[in-house]
Amino acid sequence: MAVVIDTEKENKEIAKQYKELLRISYQTLSDEDKKLIRKAFDTAVDAHKEQRRKSGEAYIFHPIAVAKIVASEIGLDATSIAAALLHDVVEDTEYKLEDIEKMFGKTVAVIVDGLTKISHLSKEKDISLQAENFRKMLLTLNDDVRVIIIKIADRLHNMQTMEAMPEHKQVKIASETLYIYAPLAHRIGLYNIKTELEDLGLKYTEPEVYNDILGKVEESKEDQENYITAFSDVIRESLDQEGLNYQIKGRPKSVFSIRRKMKIQNVSYDEVYDKFAIRIIYKSDTANEKFLAWKIYSIVTDHFRPNPVRLRDWISSPKSTGYEALHITVMGPKGRWVEVQIRSERMHEIAEKGYAAHFKYKHGDQKEQGIEIWLNRLQEALENPNSNAVDFVEEFKLNLYSKEIFVFTPKGELKSLPKGATALDFAFNIHTEIGMSTRGAKVNGKLVPLSYELKSGDQVEIITSQQSKPNANWLDYATTARARSKIKTSLKEDKKQIGEEGKELLRRKLKHMKITLNEKVVNELVVYFKLKTSLDLFFRVGIGTIDNQMLKNFAASRTNTFINFFKNRIRKAPSAPQEDLNKQEVTAKYDLLVFGREEEKLSYKLSNCCNPIPGDDVFGFITVNEGIKVHKKDCPNAIAMQSNYAYRIISAKWIDSTQQEFVVVLRLSGIDNMGLVNNVTKVISNNMHVNMKNINFDTNDGVFSGKITVVVKNNTILRKLIDNLKKVNGIDKVSRV
């Protein structure tokens, strides 16, 4: 039997929906905006005039509904509303993309094209393949992120109107929604839409469970309302006394979140204690927002005992999606735990509409421009390198700024750093002194390496120690110019300090050999050891590279004036006056070229075009036939090579082989006794320039054996360390592995 359609009634309904679309728009629409939306509406009505949905209604109701979600729920601009109205035109009708571009311009056409691409992926594919395609599509989508947001709105309306579909399609689309679209909406800060998508997803994937929980929620509605009234009555008087302008609302937890709690905690519906939350939404100007939130907190906790473990302060440190609120769990009336959410009206709108609302407040009259900026920067989230579709969806993280990131101090202060900044950069950003004495870092409460790359929204705590000071490895961990320059300055100061100690040490050692340290002797030593400055000499004595035996050899050679005369002729003393200890820099013996971050020793050739010499700033270029060729960084060909063949460039630097550090493993054995490990670590830490990387001890019936990994500069220091370890009470044997 043919269905009779009342065209006049339908047209009236379409006109009514259109008017409502303009009325509910979150943004203030200019006359120009209204013209654009009207034109898009007329085009969509014309394009879809012959089409009907599975339910029998005119197809145009779907694009209008999607545009309404975009306008009110998400709060996007007129361009997005127009694109939402047109989102199915190219895919389902005679209109082509070129027509849309001619009529509405490039931006709308790009968004419609992106939406069409996604639709082509969704045809009867299994969930993981769909996710993989979706991920690939996102990664190639560099033009306009509004595509994703309108697609979420489109998916929401499809989920709301899915009754007419066959069951197998309902399950497939609902699973895809839970798998991709709900996490996506969550990451973008569209919490209301995320909640609705999750509930609708559960409705079609587990209908019995959904209906059972929904029924129980409905049954307890009256009970909840009575409870909220009882709760409100207790605190209302105190809130009114403070002259606050507020409202108290109850919000039942979503069916999906109740179901998740039942599964995680393995409990029945009745055993889920926080089935609803109470929201206190207050009016406030920006200056007093924080103050009033904590004032309300103190009033609530005066009347109800809080659970200290369940305090969530997202006002001092907002979530990366912009969410701000104070969440507390208190023991409410009738001995029931209840979650209380404290938010200002501004925070409430941000929680409801995500960053669209955030920029409304932040930019005032420029709010649409703010949304443009946000949308462009959201692109960062799509450039996730993960190859796994599941990981992509799970770890989809909102990175608001492509050029900079925002991280928080433990006190919730916001700090801006360049993208790629590490925990060590953060330490120097706070204060030079904190950077210099950094011992470790915690990100979001977990201990991380100093080289850990920070992400927007991370909360970073720096652990300091008076004993800590920069070492050469720090230059690999730091990326900001400020941190690197401070580390370099500190390393130079360290060398000066070691030089001072080395000078004293040299004076004492030469005294034993009946030689007085004066300028003439210093010059002779510099020539004898083939060095460039006096500071080089003192530094090497300080770190033990020049040991007693070498100095004895020097003393012996000095006594024979004839040999000494010839040696001096051969080694011609440097003509430049010797520099004293105040020189800021140690001139190193650049005799070794190393490549990459790992500083590997690889075979290479020096290029003829710029003839680099030891000490020059250089880089390696991997050639097709000649292996690695080394060029100066200011070589005439450098820019061409680095821009056209960036993948063949390898970092390189000259180093002084006498200053290299080496890893050595020592094996210890002996009789176990109290405090042995403590004594061993003391000996190691008291040996200058020895860094312990690993220690492992095992005891068996009073006998111990252990391995220690240490970093030393040379064999002299290692021998001294082994000798000192052998003196520890209980140690029988120390050998190098």
PDB file of all heavy atoms in Angstrom, residues 76-77 79-84 86-87 97 100 105-118 141 143-151 372 375:
ATOM      1  N   LEU A  76      29.864  25.674  16.191  1.00  0.00           N
ATOM      2  CA  LEU A  76      30.771  26.106  15.120  1.00  0.00           C
ATOM      3  C   LEU A  76      30.187  27.289  14.351  1.00  0.00           C
ATOM      4  O   LEU A  76      29.055  27.704  14.554  1.00  0.00           O
ATOM      5  CB  LEU A  76      31.074  24.949  14.177  1.00  0.00           C
ATOM      6  CG  LEU A  76      31.909  23.813  14.763  1.00  0.00           C
ATOM      7  CD1 LEU A  76      32.327  22.849  13.668  1.00  0.00           C
ATOM      8  CD2 LEU A  76      33.161  24.331  15.463  1.00  0.00           C
ATOM      9  N   ASP A  77      30.981  27.802  13.397  1.00  0.00           N
ATOM     10  CA  ASP A  77      30.637  29.026  12.674  1.00  0.00           C
ATOM     11  C   ASP A  77      29.704  28.759  11.493  1.00  0.00           C
ATOM     12  O   ASP A  77      29.331  27.626  11.200  1.00  0.00           O
ATOM     13  CB  ASP A  77      31.925  29.702  12.189  1.00  0.00           C
ATOM     14  CG  ASP A  77      32.770  28.750  11.350  1.00  0.00           C
ATOM     15  OD1 ASP A  77      32.411  27.559  11.298  1.00  0.00           O
ATOM     16  OD2 ASP A  77      33.762  29.186  10.751  1.00  0.00           O
ATOM     17  N   THR A  79      30.243  28.925   8.292  1.00  0.00           N
ATOM     18  CA  THR A  79      30.848  28.075   7.249  1.00  0.00           C
ATOM     19  C   THR A  79      30.570  26.606   7.546  1.00  0.00           C
ATOM     20  O   THR A  79      30.208  25.830   6.656  1.00  0.00           O
ATOM     21  CB  THR A  79      32.382  28.295   7.201  1.00  0.00           C
ATOM     22  OG1 THR A  79      32.634  29.685   7.102  1.00  0.00           O
ATOM     23  CG2 THR A  79      33.026  27.560   6.059  1.00  0.00           C
ATOM     24  N   SER A  80      30.717  26.223   8.805  1.00  0.00           N
ATOM     25  CA  SER A  80      30.491  24.831   9.204  1.00  0.00           C
ATOM     26  C   SER A  80      29.018  24.463   9.075  1.00  0.00           C
ATOM     27  O   SER A  80      28.686  23.349   8.668  1.00  0.00           O
ATOM     28  CB  SER A  80      30.932  24.604  10.644  1.00  0.00           C
ATOM     29  OG  SER A  80      32.237  25.077  10.821  1.00  0.00           O
ATOM     30  N   ILE A  81      28.117  25.391   9.433  1.00  0.00           N
ATOM     31  CA  ILE A  81      26.676  25.120   9.335  1.00  0.00           C
ATOM     32  C   ILE A  81      26.299  24.891   7.873  1.00  0.00           C
ATOM     33  O   ILE A  81      25.573  23.946   7.543  1.00  0.00           O
ATOM     34  CB  ILE A  81      25.860  26.288   9.960  1.00  0.00           C
ATOM     35  CG1 ILE A  81      26.155  26.384  11.467  1.00  0.00           C
ATOM     36  CG2 ILE A  81      24.365  26.102   9.718  1.00  0.00           C
ATOM     37  CD1 ILE A  81      25.622  27.646  12.139  1.00  0.00           C
ATOM     38  N   ALA A  82      26.846  25.741   6.995  1.00  0.00           N
ATOM     39  CA  ALA A  82      26.572  25.587   5.559  1.00  0.00           C
ATOM     40  C   ALA A  82      27.106  24.243   5.058  1.00  0.00           C
ATOM     41  O   ALA A  82      26.415  23.516   4.327  1.00  0.00           O
ATOM     42  CB  ALA A  82      27.220  26.736   4.789  1.00  0.00           C
ATOM     43  N   ALA A  83      28.341  23.890   5.454  1.00  0.00           N
ATOM     44  CA  ALA A  83      28.941  22.618   5.024  1.00  0.00           C
ATOM     45  C   ALA A  83      28.133  21.431   5.543  1.00  0.00           C
ATOM     46  O   ALA A  83      27.965  20.422   4.854  1.00  0.00           O
ATOM     47  CB  ALA A  83      30.382  22.528   5.497  1.00  0.00           C
ATOM     48  N   ALA A  84      27.606  21.561   6.783  1.00  0.00           N
ATOM     49  CA  ALA A  84      26.796  20.480   7.357  1.00  0.00           C
ATOM     50  C   ALA A  84      25.512  20.281   6.545  1.00  0.00           C
ATOM     51  O   ALA A  84      25.085  19.151   6.287  1.00  0.00           O
ATOM     52  CB  ALA A  84      26.463  20.799   8.808  1.00  0.00           C
ATOM     53  N   LEU A  86      25.182  20.788   3.467  1.00  0.00           N
ATOM     54  CA  LEU A  86      25.543  20.266   2.133  1.00  0.00           C
ATOM     55  C   LEU A  86      26.312  18.951   2.195  1.00  0.00           C
ATOM     56  O   LEU A  86      26.794  18.469   1.176  1.00  0.00           O
ATOM     57  CB  LEU A  86      26.401  21.313   1.404  1.00  0.00           C
ATOM     58  CG  LEU A  86      25.739  22.669   1.123  1.00  0.00           C
ATOM     59  CD1 LEU A  86      26.793  23.705   0.770  1.00  0.00           C
ATOM     60  CD2 LEU A  86      24.718  22.555   0.001  1.00  0.00           C
ATOM     61  N   HIS A  87      26.464  18.348   3.383  1.00  0.00           N
ATOM     62  CA  HIS A  87      27.456  17.276   3.530  1.00  0.00           C
ATOM     63  C   HIS A  87      27.177  16.033   2.691  1.00  0.00           C
ATOM     64  O   HIS A  87      28.090  15.276   2.374  1.00  0.00           O
ATOM     65  CB  HIS A  87      27.673  16.923   5.010  1.00  0.00           C
ATOM     66  CG  HIS A  87      26.608  16.064   5.616  1.00  0.00           C
ATOM     67  ND1 HIS A  87      25.484  16.575   6.200  1.00  0.00           N
ATOM     68  CD2 HIS A  87      26.496  14.713   5.732  1.00  0.00           C
ATOM     69  CE1 HIS A  87      24.725  15.587   6.662  1.00  0.00           C
ATOM     70  NE2 HIS A  87      25.318  14.450   6.389  1.00  0.00           N
ATOM     71  N   LEU A  97      31.344  18.405  -7.023  1.00  0.00           N
ATOM     72  CA  LEU A  97      32.171  19.218  -6.128  1.00  0.00           C
ATOM     73  C   LEU A  97      32.468  20.594  -6.742  1.00  0.00           C
ATOM     74  O   LEU A  97      32.493  21.605  -6.048  1.00  0.00           O
ATOM     75  CB  LEU A  97      33.481  18.477  -5.822  1.00  0.00           C
ATOM     76  CG  LEU A  97      34.278  19.021  -4.639  1.00  0.00           C
ATOM     77  CD1 LEU A  97      33.487  18.880  -3.345  1.00  0.00           C
ATOM     78  CD2 LEU A  97      35.606  18.308  -4.506  1.00  0.00           C
ATOM     79  N   ILE A 100      29.707  23.010  -6.054  1.00  0.00           N
ATOM     80  CA  ILE A 100      29.740  23.522  -4.670  1.00  0.00           C
ATOM     81  C   ILE A 100      30.808  24.606  -4.545  1.00  0.00           C
ATOM     82  O   ILE A 100      30.592  25.644  -3.917  1.00  0.00           O
ATOM     83  CB  ILE A 100      30.007  22.365  -3.660  1.00  0.00           C
ATOM     84  CG1 ILE A 100      28.926  21.284  -3.750  1.00  0.00           C
ATOM     85  CG2 ILE A 100      30.123  22.895  -2.227  1.00  0.00           C
ATOM     86  CD1 ILE A 100      27.526  21.724  -3.409  1.00  0.00           C
ATOM     87  N   GLY A 105      32.447  28.628  -2.564  1.00  0.00           N
ATOM     88  CA  GLY A 105      33.857  28.902  -2.317  1.00  0.00           C
ATOM     89  C   GLY A 105      34.645  27.664  -1.907  1.00  0.00           C
ATOM     90  O   GLY A 105      34.092  26.594  -1.663  1.00  0.00           O
ATOM     91  N   LYS A 106      35.953  27.845  -1.832  1.00  0.00           N
ATOM     92  CA  LYS A 106      36.904  26.742  -1.631  1.00  0.00           C
ATOM     93  C   LYS A 106      36.707  26.046  -0.275  1.00  0.00           C
ATOM     94  O   LYS A 106      36.705  24.819  -0.192  1.00  0.00           O
ATOM     95  CB  LYS A 106      38.329  27.314  -1.725  1.00  0.00           C
ATOM     96  CG  LYS A 106      39.431  26.310  -1.581  1.00  0.00           C
ATOM     97  CD  LYS A 106      39.691  25.579  -2.877  1.00  0.00           C
ATOM     98  CE  LYS A 106      40.860  24.617  -2.747  1.00  0.00           C
ATOM     99  NZ  LYS A 106      40.859  23.608  -3.801  1.00  0.00           N
ATOM    100  N   THR A 107      36.537  26.835   0.804  1.00  0.00           N
ATOM    101  CA  THR A 107      36.503  26.241   2.151  1.00  0.00           C
ATOM    102  C   THR A 107      35.365  25.244   2.302  1.00  0.00           C
ATOM    103  O   THR A 107      35.565  24.110   2.743  1.00  0.00           O
ATOM    104  CB  THR A 107      36.366  27.351   3.222  1.00  0.00           C
ATOM    105  OG1 THR A 107      37.378  28.315   2.990  1.00  0.00           O
ATOM    106  CG2 THR A 107      36.525  26.802   4.620  1.00  0.00           C
ATOM    107  N   VAL A 108      34.146  25.672   1.922  1.00  0.00           N
ATOM    108  CA  VAL A 108      32.988  24.779   2.039  1.00  0.00           C
ATOM    109  C   VAL A 108      33.194  23.540   1.166  1.00  0.00           C
ATOM    110  O   VAL A 108      32.906  22.414   1.584  1.00  0.00           O
ATOM    111  CB  VAL A 108      31.680  25.520   1.655  1.00  0.00           C
ATOM    112  CG1 VAL A 108      30.499  24.554   1.614  1.00  0.00           C
ATOM    113  CG2 VAL A 108      31.393  26.643   2.642  1.00  0.00           C
ATOM    114  N   ALA A 109      33.736  23.746  -0.041  1.00  0.00           N
ATOM    115  CA  ALA A 109      33.958  22.622  -0.959  1.00  0.00           C
ATOM    116  C   ALA A 109      34.939  21.609  -0.369  1.00  0.00           C
ATOM    117  O   ALA A 109      34.737  20.395  -0.462  1.00  0.00           O
ATOM    118  CB  ALA A 109      34.487  23.140  -2.298  1.00  0.00           C
ATOM    119  N   VAL A 110      35.997  22.101   0.277  1.00  0.00           N
ATOM    120  CA  VAL A 110      37.003  21.213   0.886  1.00  0.00           C
ATOM    121  C   VAL A 110      36.365  20.361   1.987  1.00  0.00           C
ATOM    122  O   VAL A 110      36.606  19.154   2.098  1.00  0.00           O
ATOM    123  CB  VAL A 110      38.185  22.045   1.451  1.00  0.00           C
ATOM    124  CG1 VAL A 110      39.007  21.238   2.427  1.00  0.00           C
ATOM    125  CG2 VAL A 110      39.068  22.541   0.319  1.00  0.00           C
ATOM    126  N   ILE A 111      35.508  20.999   2.813  1.00  0.00           N
ATOM    127  CA  ILE A 111      34.854  20.267   3.913  1.00  0.00           C
ATOM    128  C   ILE A 111      33.911  19.202   3.344  1.00  0.00           C
ATOM    129  O   ILE A 111      33.923  18.049   3.780  1.00  0.00           O
ATOM    130  CB  ILE A 111      34.088  21.241   4.843  1.00  0.00           C
ATOM    131  CG1 ILE A 111      35.061  22.239   5.494  1.00  0.00           C
ATOM    132  CG2 ILE A 111      33.347  20.478   5.926  1.00  0.00           C
ATOM    133  CD1 ILE A 111      34.402  23.367   6.263  1.00  0.00           C
ATOM    134  N   VAL A 112      33.107  19.594   2.358  1.00  0.00           N
ATOM    135  CA  VAL A 112      32.155  18.642   1.751  1.00  0.00           C
ATOM    136  C   VAL A 112      32.912  17.485   1.102  1.00  0.00           C
ATOM    137  O   VAL A 112      32.525  16.316   1.232  1.00  0.00           O
ATOM    138  CB  VAL A 112      31.242  19.359   0.724  1.00  0.00           C
ATOM    139  CG1 VAL A 112      30.391  18.354  -0.046  1.00  0.00           C
ATOM    140  CG2 VAL A 112      30.350  20.373   1.432  1.00  0.00           C
ATOM    141  N   ASP A 113      34.032  17.792   0.442  1.00  0.00           N
ATOM    142  CA  ASP A 113      34.842  16.743  -0.191  1.00  0.00           C
ATOM    143  C   ASP A 113      35.372  15.766   0.853  1.00  0.00           C
ATOM    144  O   ASP A 113      35.336  14.553   0.676  1.00  0.00           O
ATOM    145  CB  ASP A 113      36.003  17.403  -0.954  1.00  0.00           C
ATOM    146  CG  ASP A 113      36.836  16.376  -1.725  1.00  0.00           C
ATOM    147  OD1 ASP A 113      36.239  15.415  -2.264  1.00  0.00           O
ATOM    148  OD2 ASP A 113      38.066  16.518  -1.765  1.00  0.00           O
ATOM    149  N   GLY A 114      35.847  16.304   1.977  1.00  0.00           N
ATOM    150  CA  GLY A 114      36.360  15.451   3.058  1.00  0.00           C
ATOM    151  C   GLY A 114      35.284  14.533   3.605  1.00  0.00           C
ATOM    152  O   GLY A 114      35.511  13.343   3.837  1.00  0.00           O
ATOM    153  N   LEU A 115      34.078  15.073   3.784  1.00  0.00           N
ATOM    154  CA  LEU A 115      32.961  14.268   4.299  1.00  0.00           C
ATOM    155  C   LEU A 115      32.566  13.183   3.306  1.00  0.00           C
ATOM    156  O   LEU A 115      32.202  12.072   3.687  1.00  0.00           O
ATOM    157  CB  LEU A 115      31.768  15.174   4.608  1.00  0.00           C
ATOM    158  CG  LEU A 115      31.977  16.052   5.853  1.00  0.00           C
ATOM    159  CD1 LEU A 115      31.092  17.270   5.824  1.00  0.00           C
ATOM    160  CD2 LEU A 115      31.736  15.257   7.123  1.00  0.00           C
ATOM    161  N   THR A 116      32.654  13.508   2.026  1.00  0.00           N
ATOM    162  CA  THR A 116      32.328  12.512   0.985  1.00  0.00           C
ATOM    163  C   THR A 116      33.330  11.370   1.026  1.00  0.00           C
ATOM    164  O   THR A 116      32.976  10.200   0.923  1.00  0.00           O
ATOM    165  CB  THR A 116      32.347  13.191  -0.411  1.00  0.00           C
ATOM    166  OG1 THR A 116      31.526  14.358  -0.353  1.00  0.00           O
ATOM    167  CG2 THR A 116      31.829  12.263  -1.480  1.00  0.00           C
ATOM    168  N   LYS A 117      34.622  11.714   1.221  1.00  0.00           N
ATOM    169  CA  LYS A 117      35.673  10.681   1.288  1.00  0.00           C
ATOM    170  C   LYS A 117      35.399   9.711   2.435  1.00  0.00           C
ATOM    171  O   LYS A 117      35.545   8.505   2.285  1.00  0.00           O
ATOM    172  CB  LYS A 117      37.047  11.334   1.516  1.00  0.00           C
ATOM    173  CG  LYS A 117      37.682  11.900   0.268  1.00  0.00           C
ATOM    174  CD  LYS A 117      39.019  12.533   0.649  1.00  0.00           C
ATOM    175  CE  LYS A 117      39.603  13.341  -0.497  1.00  0.00           C
ATOM    176  NZ  LYS A 117      40.678  14.219  -0.035  1.00  0.00           N
ATOM    177  N   ILE A 118      35.016  10.241   3.598  1.00  0.00           N
ATOM    178  CA  ILE A 118      34.769   9.361   4.747  1.00  0.00           C
ATOM    179  C   ILE A 118      33.608   8.423   4.441  1.00  0.00           C
ATOM    180  O   ILE A 118      33.652   7.247   4.732  1.00  0.00           O
ATOM    181  CB  ILE A 118      34.442  10.142   6.041  1.00  0.00           C
ATOM    182  CG1 ILE A 118      35.530  11.160   6.353  1.00  0.00           C
ATOM    183  CG2 ILE A 118      34.303   9.186   7.223  1.00  0.00           C
ATOM    184  CD1 ILE A 118      35.286  11.958   7.604  1.00  0.00           C
ATOM    185  N   LEU A 141      44.272  14.136   5.652  1.00  0.00           N
ATOM    186  CA  LEU A 141      43.329  15.249   5.662  1.00  0.00           C
ATOM    187  C   LEU A 141      43.992  16.490   6.239  1.00  0.00           C
ATOM    188  O   LEU A 141      43.875  16.775   7.407  1.00  0.00           O
ATOM    189  CB  LEU A 141      42.114  14.849   6.510  1.00  0.00           C
ATOM    190  CG  LEU A 141      40.963  15.835   6.502  1.00  0.00           C
ATOM    191  CD1 LEU A 141      40.227  15.759   5.189  1.00  0.00           C
ATOM    192  CD2 LEU A 141      40.014  15.509   7.627  1.00  0.00           C
ATOM    193  N   ASP A 143      43.501  19.584   5.063  1.00  0.00           N
ATOM    194  CA  ASP A 143      42.856  20.821   4.637  1.00  0.00           C
ATOM    195  C   ASP A 143      41.989  21.474   5.705  1.00  0.00           C
ATOM    196  O   ASP A 143      42.098  22.656   5.961  1.00  0.00           O
ATOM    197  CB  ASP A 143      42.020  20.561   3.378  1.00  0.00           C
ATOM    198  CG  ASP A 143      42.891  20.047   2.245  1.00  0.00           C
ATOM    199  OD1 ASP A 143      43.934  20.669   2.026  1.00  0.00           O
ATOM    200  OD2 ASP A 143      42.555  19.027   1.630  1.00  0.00           O
ATOM    201  N   ASP A 144      41.080  20.699   6.305  1.00  0.00           N
ATOM    202  CA  ASP A 144      40.162  21.326   7.248  1.00  0.00           C
ATOM    203  C   ASP A 144      39.632  20.317   8.248  1.00  0.00           C
ATOM    204  O   ASP A 144      38.968  19.356   7.894  1.00  0.00           O
ATOM    205  CB  ASP A 144      38.995  21.963   6.490  1.00  0.00           C
ATOM    206  CG  ASP A 144      38.388  23.093   7.308  1.00  0.00           C
ATOM    207  OD1 ASP A 144      38.045  22.832   8.479  1.00  0.00           O
ATOM    208  OD2 ASP A 144      38.265  24.212   6.795  1.00  0.00           O
ATOM    209  N   VAL A 145      39.894  20.573   9.516  1.00  0.00           N
ATOM    210  CA  VAL A 145      39.536  19.631  10.571  1.00  0.00           C
ATOM    211  C   VAL A 145      38.041  19.668  10.875  1.00  0.00           C
ATOM    212  O   VAL A 145      37.512  18.778  11.511  1.00  0.00           O
ATOM    213  CB  VAL A 145      40.358  19.926  11.840  1.00  0.00           C
ATOM    214  CG1 VAL A 145      40.107  18.914  12.917  1.00  0.00           C
ATOM    215  CG2 VAL A 145      41.821  19.946  11.473  1.00  0.00           C
ATOM    216  N   ARG A 146      37.349  20.716  10.397  1.00  0.00           N
ATOM    217  CA  ARG A 146      35.902  20.785  10.604  1.00  0.00           C
ATOM    218  C   ARG A 146      35.210  19.553  10.015  1.00  0.00           C
ATOM    219  O   ARG A 146      34.118  19.191  10.435  1.00  0.00           O
ATOM    220  CB  ARG A 146      35.335  22.064   9.993  1.00  0.00           C
ATOM    221  CG  ARG A 146      35.574  23.260  10.897  1.00  0.00           C
ATOM    222  CD  ARG A 146      35.137  24.543  10.255  1.00  0.00           C
ATOM    223  NE  ARG A 146      36.080  24.984   9.233  1.00  0.00           N
ATOM    224  CZ  ARG A 146      36.202  26.242   8.845  1.00  0.00           C
ATOM    225  NH1 ARG A 146      35.435  27.174   9.381  1.00  0.00           N
ATOM    226  NH2 ARG A 146      37.067  26.595   7.931  1.00  0.00           N
ATOM    227  N   VAL A 147      35.873  18.926   9.057  1.00  0.00           N
ATOM    228  CA  VAL A 147      35.341  17.693   8.468  1.00  0.00           C
ATOM    229  C   VAL A 147      35.037  16.671   9.564  1.00  0.00           C
ATOM    230  O   VAL A 147      33.968  16.065   9.605  1.00  0.00           O
ATOM    231  CB  VAL A 147      36.364  17.090   7.471  1.00  0.00           C
ATOM    232  CG1 VAL A 147      35.913  15.732   6.968  1.00  0.00           C
ATOM    233  CG2 VAL A 147      36.583  18.039   6.313  1.00  0.00           C
ATOM    234  N   ILE A 148      35.988  16.492  10.466  1.00  0.00           N
ATOM    235  CA  ILE A 148      35.836  15.470  11.513  1.00  0.00           C
ATOM    236  C   ILE A 148      34.700  15.852  12.456  1.00  0.00           C
ATOM    237  O   ILE A 148      33.891  15.014  12.839  1.00  0.00           O
ATOM    238  CB  ILE A 148      37.152  15.339  12.312  1.00  0.00           C
ATOM    239  CG1 ILE A 148      38.237  14.823  11.395  1.00  0.00           C
ATOM    240  CG2 ILE A 148      36.993  14.413  13.501  1.00  0.00           C
ATOM    241  CD1 ILE A 148      39.580  15.308  11.748  1.00  0.00           C
ATOM    242  N   ILE A 149      34.633  17.145  12.799  1.00  0.00           N
ATOM    243  CA  ILE A 149      33.623  17.586  13.761  1.00  0.00           C
ATOM    244  C   ILE A 149      32.224  17.438  13.163  1.00  0.00           C
ATOM    245  O   ILE A 149      31.300  16.978  13.835  1.00  0.00           O
ATOM    246  CB  ILE A 149      33.929  19.029  14.217  1.00  0.00           C
ATOM    247  CG1 ILE A 149      35.271  19.035  14.963  1.00  0.00           C
ATOM    248  CG2 ILE A 149      32.835  19.565  15.100  1.00  0.00           C
ATOM    249  CD1 ILE A 149      35.834  20.379  15.231  1.00  0.00           C
ATOM    250  N   ILE A 150      32.071  17.804  11.883  1.00  0.00           N
ATOM    251  CA  ILE A 150      30.751  17.651  11.235  1.00  0.00           C
ATOM    252  C   ILE A 150      30.431  16.161  11.089  1.00  0.00           C
ATOM    253  O   ILE A 150      29.289  15.744  11.246  1.00  0.00           O
ATOM    254  CB  ILE A 150      30.722  18.377   9.867  1.00  0.00           C
ATOM    255  CG1 ILE A 150      30.888  19.879  10.081  1.00  0.00           C
ATOM    256  CG2 ILE A 150      29.411  18.086   9.126  1.00  0.00           C
ATOM    257  CD1 ILE A 150      31.137  20.687   8.828  1.00  0.00           C
ATOM    258  N   LYS A 151      31.472  15.357  10.842  1.00  0.00           N
ATOM    259  CA  LYS A 151      31.243  13.910  10.725  1.00  0.00           C
ATOM    260  C   LYS A 151      30.744  13.339  12.056  1.00  0.00           C
ATOM    261  O   LYS A 151      29.892  12.446  12.081  1.00  0.00           O
ATOM    262  CB  LYS A 151      32.542  13.201  10.298  1.00  0.00           C
ATOM    263  CG  LYS A 151      32.383  11.716  10.042  1.00  0.00           C
ATOM    264  CD  LYS A 151      31.436  11.430   8.889  1.00  0.00           C
ATOM    265  CE  LYS A 151      31.006   9.982   8.855  1.00  0.00           C
ATOM    266  NZ  LYS A 151      29.931   9.731   7.898  1.00  0.00           N
ATOM    267  N   GLU A 372      38.664  29.384  14.248  1.00  0.00           N
ATOM    268  CA  GLU A 372      39.523  29.071  13.090  1.00  0.00           C
ATOM    269  C   GLU A 372      40.908  28.631  13.569  1.00  0.00           C
ATOM    270  O   GLU A 372      41.449  27.631  13.119  1.00  0.00           O
ATOM    271  CB  GLU A 372      39.694  30.327  12.200  1.00  0.00           C
ATOM    272  CG  GLU A 372      38.478  30.684  11.384  1.00  0.00           C
ATOM    273  CD  GLU A 372      38.320  29.788  10.166  1.00  0.00           C
ATOM    274  OE1 GLU A 372      39.296  29.156   9.764  1.00  0.00           O
ATOM    275  OE2 GLU A 372      37.196  29.708   9.641  1.00  0.00           O
ATOM    276  N   LEU A 375      40.732  25.207  15.154  1.00  0.00           N
ATOM    277  CA  LEU A 375      40.548  24.138  14.163  1.00  0.00           C
ATOM    278  C   LEU A 375      41.841  23.849  13.413  1.00  0.00           C
ATOM    279  O   LEU A 375      42.183  22.706  13.149  1.00  0.00           O
ATOM    280  CB  LEU A 375      39.437  24.526  13.172  1.00  0.00           C
ATOM    281  CG  LEU A 375      38.035  24.542  13.786  1.00  0.00           C
ATOM    282  CD1 LEU A 375      37.074  25.287  12.889  1.00  0.00           C
ATOM    283  CD2 LEU A 375      37.538  23.140  14.028  1.00  0.00           C
TER     284      LEU A 375
END
